[in-house]
Amino acid sequence: MVKKFHLFILVSSILVFLLTISFLNLKVYFDGSKESKVLSAENKKPDEEEFLVNYLESNPNYFPGIIELAKIQIANSENDEATKTLLKAKEIDPNSDVIKKLEEEIK
């Protein structure tokens, strides 16, 4: 009889614990507090142009990255910057058709 009572108490305690955890998790979910910080980092995504500029500082001859940066600059109407970026790309592959197409877009 005593063993059944201890088992009942143990199972009841575990159920109360699980229900409490579930309730708290649902409360966070429904309150919309979905933003979380990891190691005090903000949930801010760097924009693509900033990312590529930083990446190309350490990998200056990465041709696909240079081309992507030029495309972004053209889309943002930063034609002077795009021209400079395409000049860097020409140093790597002076006969690239992609560079020629992007230069036509700038004109």
Side-chain angles (χ1 to χ4, degrees):
M1 183 74 179
V2 173
K3 287 186 180 184
K4 286 185 179 180
F5 182 72
H6 287 292
L7 182 60
F8 173 75
I9 296 294
L10 179 65
V11 171
S12 298
S13 299
I14 291 171
L15 281 173
V16 167
F17 176 75
L18 290 175
L19 288 172
T20 304
I21 297 278
S22 298
F23 173 74
L24 292 175
N25 191 27
L26 288 174
K27 183 177 182 205
V28 169
Y29 179 76
F30 286 119
D31 285 347
S33 304
K34 295 177 186 173
E35 288 187 31
S36 62
K37 293 184 179 181
V38 177
L39 299 177
S40 299
E42 293 183 21
N43 289 338
K44 178 184 173 188
K45 294 181 181 178
D47 70 343
E48 291 179 73
E49 184 175 4
E50 181 182 344
F51 172 80
L52 285 170
V53 168
N54 291 334
Y55 183 80
L56 290 171
E57 284 178 4
S58 58
N59 301 292
N61 294 324
Y62 183 62
F63 185 76
I66 296 171
I67 295 300
E68 270 308 304
L69 178 60
K71 288 178 181 178
I72 292 169
Q73 291 168 334
I74 292 169
N76 292 336
S77 300
E78 299 171 356
N79 293 338
D80 293 338
E81 291 296 318
T83 302
K84 292 176 188 175
T85 302
L86 289 173
L87 286 175
K88 290 180 190 175
K90 272 189 175 181
E91 292 173 5
I92 298 169
D93 187 359
N95 299 319
S96 171
D97 292 332
V98 175
I99 295 173
K100 292 174 186 172
K101 288 178 185 176
L102 292 174
E103 285 177 331
E104 289 175 10
E105 284 184 40
I106 293 173
K107 294 178 182 179

mmCIF file of all heavy atoms in Angstrom, residues 48-85:
data_model
loop_
_atom_site.group_PDB
_atom_site.id
_atom_site.type_symbol
_atom_site.label_atom_id
_atom_site.label_comp_id
_atom_site.label_asym_id
_atom_site.label_seq_id
_atom_site.Cartn_x
_atom_site.Cartn_y
_atom_site.Cartn_z
ATOM 1 N N GLU A 48 22.818 42.341 -47.400
ATOM 2 C CA GLU A 48 23.672 41.576 -48.308
ATOM 3 C C GLU A 48 24.900 42.351 -48.754
ATOM 4 O O GLU A 48 25.994 41.801 -48.825
ATOM 5 C CB GLU A 48 22.872 41.156 -49.533
ATOM 6 C CG GLU A 48 21.805 40.135 -49.256
ATOM 7 C CD GLU A 48 21.036 39.788 -50.513
ATOM 8 O OE1 GLU A 48 21.602 39.096 -51.366
ATOM 9 O OE2 GLU A 48 19.892 40.234 -50.616
ATOM 10 N N GLU A 49 24.707 43.625 -49.040
ATOM 11 C CA GLU A 49 25.829 44.422 -49.522
ATOM 12 C C GLU A 49 26.912 44.520 -48.456
ATOM 13 O O GLU A 49 28.095 44.327 -48.745
ATOM 14 C CB GLU A 49 25.353 45.827 -49.921
ATOM 15 C CG GLU A 49 26.454 46.680 -50.522
ATOM 16 C CD GLU A 49 25.937 48.017 -51.031
ATOM 17 O OE1 GLU A 49 24.741 48.319 -50.859
ATOM 18 O OE2 GLU A 49 26.751 48.756 -51.600
ATOM 19 N N GLU A 50 26.513 44.780 -47.214
ATOM 20 C CA GLU A 50 27.466 44.874 -46.109
ATOM 21 C C GLU A 50 28.192 43.545 -45.919
ATOM 22 O O GLU A 50 29.401 43.500 -45.723
ATOM 23 C CB GLU A 50 26.732 45.266 -44.834
ATOM 24 C CG GLU A 50 27.621 45.408 -43.623
ATOM 25 C CD GLU A 50 26.833 45.748 -42.369
ATOM 26 O OE1 GLU A 50 25.668 46.161 -42.479
ATOM 27 O OE2 GLU A 50 27.395 45.590 -41.279
ATOM 28 N N PHE A 51 27.428 42.450 -46.000
ATOM 29 C CA PHE A 51 28.032 41.124 -45.853
ATOM 30 C C PHE A 51 29.083 40.879 -46.930
ATOM 31 O O PHE A 51 30.192 40.426 -46.650
ATOM 32 C CB PHE A 51 26.960 40.036 -45.914
ATOM 33 C CG PHE A 51 27.536 38.653 -45.949
ATOM 34 C CD1 PHE A 51 27.979 38.051 -44.782
ATOM 35 C CD2 PHE A 51 27.657 37.972 -47.151
ATOM 36 C CE1 PHE A 51 28.527 36.778 -44.818
ATOM 37 C CE2 PHE A 51 28.208 36.702 -47.189
ATOM 38 C CZ PHE A 51 28.640 36.103 -46.023
ATOM 39 N N LEU A 52 28.731 41.165 -48.182
ATOM 40 C CA LEU A 52 29.665 40.920 -49.280
ATOM 41 C C LEU A 52 30.904 41.794 -49.184
ATOM 42 O O LEU A 52 32.014 41.329 -49.447
ATOM 43 C CB LEU A 52 28.966 41.119 -50.627
ATOM 44 C CG LEU A 52 28.014 39.995 -51.032
ATOM 45 C CD1 LEU A 52 27.183 40.399 -52.241
ATOM 46 C CD2 LEU A 52 28.790 38.720 -51.324
ATOM 47 N N VAL A 53 30.730 43.050 -48.802
ATOM 48 C CA VAL A 53 31.885 43.939 -48.646
ATOM 49 C C VAL A 53 32.828 43.373 -47.591
ATOM 50 O O VAL A 53 34.047 43.297 -47.811
ATOM 51 C CB VAL A 53 31.435 45.374 -48.285
ATOM 52 C CG1 VAL A 53 32.611 46.222 -47.830
ATOM 53 C CG2 VAL A 53 30.737 46.029 -49.472
ATOM 54 N N ASN A 54 32.274 42.951 -46.468
ATOM 55 C CA ASN A 54 33.102 42.378 -45.408
ATOM 56 C C ASN A 54 33.764 41.085 -45.852
ATOM 57 O O ASN A 54 34.936 40.841 -45.561
ATOM 58 C CB ASN A 54 32.275 42.136 -44.141
ATOM 59 C CG ASN A 54 31.855 43.419 -43.479
ATOM 60 O OD1 ASN A 54 32.502 44.452 -43.621
ATOM 61 N ND2 ASN A 54 30.750 43.375 -42.766
ATOM 62 N N TYR A 55 33.014 40.241 -46.560
ATOM 63 C CA TYR A 55 33.564 38.968 -47.025
ATOM 64 C C TYR A 55 34.679 39.196 -48.034
ATOM 65 O O TYR A 55 35.717 38.529 -47.997
ATOM 66 C CB TYR A 55 32.457 38.111 -47.644
ATOM 67 C CG TYR A 55 32.948 36.762 -48.083
ATOM 68 C CD1 TYR A 55 33.121 35.740 -47.150
ATOM 69 C CD2 TYR A 55 33.260 36.502 -49.411
ATOM 70 C CE1 TYR A 55 33.582 34.488 -47.542
ATOM 71 C CE2 TYR A 55 33.725 35.261 -49.809
ATOM 72 C CZ TYR A 55 33.886 34.259 -48.865
ATOM 73 O OH TYR A 55 34.360 33.024 -49.251
ATOM 74 N N LEU A 56 34.482 40.144 -48.929
ATOM 75 C CA LEU A 56 35.478 40.391 -49.970
ATOM 76 C C LEU A 56 36.745 41.056 -49.428
ATOM 77 O O LEU A 56 37.776 41.011 -50.086
ATOM 78 C CB LEU A 56 34.866 41.230 -51.096
ATOM 79 C CG LEU A 56 33.817 40.486 -51.935
ATOM 80 C CD1 LEU A 56 33.116 41.447 -52.874
ATOM 81 C CD2 LEU A 56 34.440 39.323 -52.688
ATOM 82 N N GLU A 57 36.655 41.640 -48.237
ATOM 83 C CA GLU A 57 37.875 42.173 -47.629
ATOM 84 C C GLU A 57 38.864 41.047 -47.328
ATOM 85 O O GLU A 57 40.063 41.220 -47.480
ATOM 86 C CB GLU A 57 37.545 42.936 -46.342
ATOM 87 C CG GLU A 57 36.943 44.296 -46.592
ATOM 88 C CD GLU A 57 36.581 45.017 -45.307
ATOM 89 O OE1 GLU A 57 36.871 44.496 -44.209
ATOM 90 O OE2 GLU A 57 35.988 46.097 -45.409
ATOM 91 N N SER A 58 38.332 39.902 -46.909
ATOM 92 C CA SER A 58 39.221 38.778 -46.604
ATOM 93 C C SER A 58 39.383 37.830 -47.797
ATOM 94 O O SER A 58 40.279 36.999 -47.801
ATOM 95 C CB SER A 58 38.705 38.000 -45.387
ATOM 96 O OG SER A 58 37.402 37.535 -45.621
ATOM 97 N N ASN A 59 38.529 37.940 -48.803
ATOM 98 C CA ASN A 59 38.600 37.103 -50.009
ATOM 99 C C ASN A 59 38.455 37.984 -51.241
ATOM 100 O O ASN A 59 37.448 37.906 -51.949
ATOM 101 C CB ASN A 59 37.482 36.046 -49.989
ATOM 102 C CG ASN A 59 37.565 35.157 -48.781
ATOM 103 O OD1 ASN A 59 38.498 34.381 -48.656
ATOM 104 N ND2 ASN A 59 36.610 35.294 -47.873
ATOM 105 N N PRO A 60 39.429 38.834 -51.504
ATOM 106 C CA PRO A 60 39.260 39.847 -52.553
ATOM 107 C C PRO A 60 39.157 39.295 -53.974
ATOM 108 O O PRO A 60 38.702 40.006 -54.863
ATOM 109 C CB PRO A 60 40.509 40.720 -52.401
ATOM 110 C CG PRO A 60 41.501 39.854 -51.711
ATOM 111 C CD PRO A 60 40.728 38.926 -50.857
ATOM 112 N N ASN A 61 39.537 38.054 -54.209
ATOM 113 C CA ASN A 61 39.483 37.490 -55.562
ATOM 114 C C ASN A 61 38.317 36.540 -55.771
ATOM 115 O O ASN A 61 38.307 35.778 -56.734
ATOM 116 C CB ASN A 61 40.799 36.762 -55.876
ATOM 117 C CG ASN A 61 41.966 37.730 -55.933
ATOM 118 O OD1 ASN A 61 41.827 38.856 -56.390
ATOM 119 N ND2 ASN A 61 43.106 37.291 -55.454
ATOM 120 N N TYR A 62 37.331 36.600 -54.902
ATOM 121 C CA TYR A 62 36.162 35.732 -55.040
ATOM 122 C C TYR A 62 35.224 36.350 -56.070
ATOM 123 O O TYR A 62 34.392 37.204 -55.769
ATOM 124 C CB TYR A 62 35.475 35.541 -53.684
ATOM 125 C CG TYR A 62 34.313 34.597 -53.736
ATOM 126 C CD1 TYR A 62 34.486 33.267 -54.099
ATOM 127 C CD2 TYR A 62 33.031 35.022 -53.426
ATOM 128 C CE1 TYR A 62 33.412 32.393 -54.165
ATOM 129 C CE2 TYR A 62 31.953 34.156 -53.479
ATOM 130 C CZ TYR A 62 32.157 32.845 -53.858
ATOM 131 O OH TYR A 62 31.087 31.976 -53.920
ATOM 132 N N PHE A 63 35.369 35.880 -57.303
ATOM 133 C CA PHE A 63 34.670 36.469 -58.440
ATOM 134 C C PHE A 63 33.141 36.467 -58.295
ATOM 135 O O PHE A 63 32.504 37.509 -58.523
ATOM 136 C CB PHE A 63 35.102 35.756 -59.730
ATOM 137 C CG PHE A 63 34.549 36.359 -60.974
ATOM 138 C CD1 PHE A 63 35.079 37.532 -61.483
ATOM 139 C CD2 PHE A 63 33.491 35.770 -61.647
ATOM 140 C CE1 PHE A 63 34.570 38.108 -62.645
ATOM 141 C CE2 PHE A 63 32.970 36.328 -62.799
ATOM 142 C CZ PHE A 63 33.514 37.496 -63.302
ATOM 143 N N PRO A 64 32.518 35.337 -57.906
ATOM 144 C CA PRO A 64 31.056 35.360 -57.766
ATOM 145 C C PRO A 64 30.566 36.394 -56.733
ATOM 146 O O PRO A 64 29.524 37.015 -56.921
ATOM 147 C CB PRO A 64 30.708 33.938 -57.314
ATOM 148 C CG PRO A 64 31.843 33.096 -57.790
ATOM 149 C CD PRO A 64 33.052 33.976 -57.688
ATOM 150 N N GLY A 65 31.331 36.587 -55.674
ATOM 151 C CA GLY A 65 30.958 37.581 -54.671
ATOM 152 C C GLY A 65 31.053 38.989 -55.216
ATOM 153 O O GLY A 65 30.205 39.851 -54.927
ATOM 154 N N ILE A 66 32.086 39.238 -56.008
ATOM 155 C CA ILE A 66 32.255 40.568 -56.614
ATOM 156 C C ILE A 66 31.100 40.861 -57.568
ATOM 157 O O ILE A 66 30.541 41.967 -57.573
ATOM 158 C CB ILE A 66 33.622 40.660 -57.334
ATOM 159 C CG1 ILE A 66 34.760 40.522 -56.320
ATOM 160 C CG2 ILE A 66 33.744 41.965 -58.107
ATOM 161 C CD1 ILE A 66 36.135 40.379 -56.943
ATOM 162 N N ILE A 67 30.723 39.859 -58.352
ATOM 163 C CA ILE A 67 29.614 40.029 -59.296
ATOM 164 C C ILE A 67 28.303 40.281 -58.546
ATOM 165 O O ILE A 67 27.528 41.173 -58.911
ATOM 166 C CB ILE A 67 29.497 38.797 -60.227
ATOM 167 C CG1 ILE A 67 30.732 38.678 -61.122
ATOM 168 C CG2 ILE A 67 28.223 38.851 -61.053
ATOM 169 C CD1 ILE A 67 30.964 39.877 -62.025
ATOM 170 N N GLU A 68 28.057 39.522 -57.486
ATOM 171 C CA GLU A 68 26.837 39.726 -56.689
ATOM 172 C C GLU A 68 26.805 41.131 -56.093
ATOM 173 O O GLU A 68 25.758 41.781 -56.075
ATOM 174 C CB GLU A 68 26.743 38.692 -55.561
ATOM 175 C CG GLU A 68 26.039 37.431 -55.921
ATOM 176 C CD GLU A 68 24.663 37.638 -56.534
ATOM 177 O OE1 GLU A 68 23.795 38.296 -55.934
ATOM 178 O OE2 GLU A 68 24.448 37.115 -57.635
ATOM 179 N N LEU A 69 27.945 41.581 -55.586
ATOM 180 C CA LEU A 69 28.022 42.927 -55.014
ATOM 181 C C LEU A 69 27.696 43.968 -56.083
ATOM 182 O O LEU A 69 26.934 44.912 -55.828
ATOM 183 C CB LEU A 69 29.408 43.177 -54.417
ATOM 184 C CG LEU A 69 29.648 44.556 -53.818
ATOM 185 C CD1 LEU A 69 28.672 44.832 -52.676
ATOM 186 C CD2 LEU A 69 31.087 44.685 -53.330
ATOM 187 N N ALA A 70 28.230 43.792 -57.276
ATOM 188 C CA ALA A 70 27.942 44.731 -58.368
ATOM 189 C C ALA A 70 26.454 44.733 -58.709
ATOM 190 O O ALA A 70 25.853 45.790 -58.923
ATOM 191 C CB ALA A 70 28.771 44.373 -59.596
ATOM 192 N N LYS A 71 25.840 43.552 -58.739
ATOM 193 C CA LYS A 71 24.395 43.473 -59.027
ATOM 194 C C LYS A 71 23.578 44.216 -57.972
ATOM 195 O O LYS A 71 22.616 44.926 -58.304
ATOM 196 C CB LYS A 71 23.950 42.015 -59.087
ATOM 197 C CG LYS A 71 24.435 41.269 -60.307
ATOM 198 C CD LYS A 71 23.987 39.810 -60.259
ATOM 199 C CE LYS A 71 24.478 39.018 -61.452
ATOM 200 N NZ LYS A 71 24.070 37.593 -61.371
ATOM 201 N N ILE A 72 23.956 44.051 -56.709
ATOM 202 C CA ILE A 72 23.247 44.738 -55.632
ATOM 203 C C ILE A 72 23.416 46.243 -55.753
ATOM 204 O O ILE A 72 22.465 47.010 -55.595
ATOM 205 C CB ILE A 72 23.736 44.231 -54.256
ATOM 206 C CG1 ILE A 72 23.302 42.785 -54.045
ATOM 207 C CG2 ILE A 72 23.231 45.117 -53.129
ATOM 208 C CD1 ILE A 72 23.950 42.107 -52.858
ATOM 209 N N GLN A 73 24.631 46.671 -56.060
ATOM 210 C CA GLN A 73 24.894 48.100 -56.202
ATOM 211 C C GLN A 73 24.123 48.690 -57.374
ATOM 212 O O GLN A 73 23.603 49.805 -57.286
ATOM 213 C CB GLN A 73 26.408 48.325 -56.358
ATOM 214 C CG GLN A 73 27.173 48.035 -55.087
ATOM 215 C CD GLN A 73 28.674 47.968 -55.283
ATOM 216 O OE1 GLN A 73 29.165 47.672 -56.379
ATOM 217 N NE2 GLN A 73 29.417 48.235 -54.212
ATOM 218 N N ILE A 74 24.022 47.954 -58.446
ATOM 219 C CA ILE A 74 23.235 48.430 -59.598
ATOM 220 C C ILE A 74 21.763 48.522 -59.217
ATOM 221 O O ILE A 74 21.082 49.507 -59.540
ATOM 222 C CB ILE A 74 23.445 47.507 -60.820
ATOM 223 C CG1 ILE A 74 24.874 47.640 -61.349
ATOM 224 C CG2 ILE A 74 22.427 47.813 -61.917
ATOM 225 C CD1 ILE A 74 25.269 46.591 -62.369
ATOM 226 N N ALA A 75 21.261 47.521 -58.518
ATOM 227 C CA ALA A 75 19.855 47.541 -58.092
ATOM 228 C C ALA A 75 19.568 48.704 -57.151
ATOM 229 O O ALA A 75 18.452 49.230 -57.134
ATOM 230 C CB ALA A 75 19.500 46.220 -57.409
ATOM 231 N N ASN A 76 20.576 49.119 -56.385
ATOM 232 C CA ASN A 76 20.417 50.237 -55.447
ATOM 233 C C ASN A 76 20.798 51.576 -56.082
ATOM 234 O O ASN A 76 20.946 52.572 -55.381
ATOM 235 C CB ASN A 76 21.264 50.007 -54.197
ATOM 236 C CG ASN A 76 20.769 48.856 -53.365
ATOM 237 O OD1 ASN A 76 19.602 48.492 -53.428
ATOM 238 N ND2 ASN A 76 21.663 48.276 -52.577
ATOM 239 N N SER A 77 20.974 51.592 -57.395
ATOM 240 C CA SER A 77 21.350 52.798 -58.157
ATOM 241 C C SER A 77 22.665 53.399 -57.666
ATOM 242 O O SER A 77 22.858 54.613 -57.724
ATOM 243 C CB SER A 77 20.237 53.854 -58.090
ATOM 244 O OG SER A 77 19.048 53.331 -58.633
ATOM 245 N N GLU A 78 23.572 52.563 -57.222
ATOM 246 C CA GLU A 78 24.913 52.997 -56.820
ATOM 247 C C GLU A 78 25.867 52.713 -57.988
ATOM 248 O O GLU A 78 26.773 51.891 -57.897
ATOM 249 C CB GLU A 78 25.354 52.249 -55.568
ATOM 250 C CG GLU A 78 24.464 52.473 -54.367
ATOM 251 C CD GLU A 78 24.790 51.545 -53.202
ATOM 252 O OE1 GLU A 78 25.657 50.658 -53.334
ATOM 253 O OE2 GLU A 78 24.158 51.709 -52.146
ATOM 254 N N ASN A 79 25.644 53.429 -59.084
ATOM 255 C CA ASN A 79 26.359 53.126 -60.321
ATOM 256 C C ASN A 79 27.859 53.378 -60.234
ATOM 257 O O ASN A 79 28.639 52.638 -60.827
ATOM 258 C CB ASN A 79 25.745 53.899 -61.482
ATOM 259 C CG ASN A 79 24.336 53.425 -61.783
ATOM 260 O OD1 ASN A 79 23.958 52.311 -61.434
ATOM 261 N ND2 ASN A 79 23.552 54.279 -62.422
ATOM 262 N N ASP A 80 28.279 54.416 -59.519
ATOM 263 C CA ASP A 80 29.717 54.673 -59.384
ATOM 264 C C ASP A 80 30.402 53.530 -58.628
ATOM 265 O O ASP A 80 31.475 53.064 -59.017
ATOM 266 C CB ASP A 80 29.966 56.001 -58.656
ATOM 267 C CG ASP A 80 29.522 57.203 -59.478
ATOM 268 O OD1 ASP A 80 29.426 57.074 -60.723
ATOM 269 O OD2 ASP A 80 29.277 58.274 -58.886
ATOM 270 N N GLU A 81 29.774 53.084 -57.551
ATOM 271 C CA GLU A 81 30.327 51.964 -56.777
ATOM 272 C C GLU A 81 30.317 50.684 -57.607
ATOM 273 O O GLU A 81 31.272 49.900 -57.566
ATOM 274 C CB GLU A 81 29.537 51.757 -55.482
ATOM 275 C CG GLU A 81 29.720 52.865 -54.467
ATOM 276 C CD GLU A 81 31.154 52.960 -53.971
ATOM 277 O OE1 GLU A 81 31.778 51.915 -53.719
ATOM 278 O OE2 GLU A 81 31.651 54.097 -53.840
ATOM 279 N N ALA A 82 29.253 50.480 -58.361
ATOM 280 C CA ALA A 82 29.156 49.281 -59.203
ATOM 281 C C ALA A 82 30.254 49.276 -60.264
ATOM 282 O O ALA A 82 30.842 48.228 -60.547
ATOM 283 C CB ALA A 82 27.780 49.199 -59.851
ATOM 284 N N THR A 83 30.547 50.444 -60.823
ATOM 285 C CA THR A 83 31.613 50.543 -61.827
ATOM 286 C C THR A 83 32.958 50.164 -61.212
ATOM 287 O O THR A 83 33.739 49.418 -61.810
ATOM 288 C CB THR A 83 31.670 51.972 -62.410
ATOM 289 O OG1 THR A 83 30.394 52.280 -62.978
ATOM 290 C CG2 THR A 83 32.738 52.098 -63.469
ATOM 291 N N LYS A 84 33.227 50.673 -60.014
ATOM 292 C CA LYS A 84 34.480 50.317 -59.319
ATOM 293 C C LYS A 84 34.545 48.818 -59.032
ATOM 294 O O LYS A 84 35.593 48.188 -59.196
ATOM 295 C CB LYS A 84 34.602 51.103 -58.008
ATOM 296 C CG LYS A 84 34.801 52.581 -58.189
ATOM 297 C CD LYS A 84 34.816 53.286 -56.830
ATOM 298 C CE LYS A 84 34.818 54.785 -56.987
ATOM 299 N NZ LYS A 84 34.717 55.489 -55.682
ATOM 300 N N THR A 85 33.427 48.258 -58.621
ATOM 301 C CA THR A 85 33.376 46.829 -58.321
ATOM 302 C C THR A 85 33.615 46.008 -59.576
ATOM 303 O O THR A 85 34.349 45.008 -59.549
ATOM 304 C CB THR A 85 32.018 46.471 -57.688
ATOM 305 O OG1 THR A 85 31.833 47.260 -56.505
ATOM 306 C CG2 THR A 85 31.947 45.007 -57.319
#
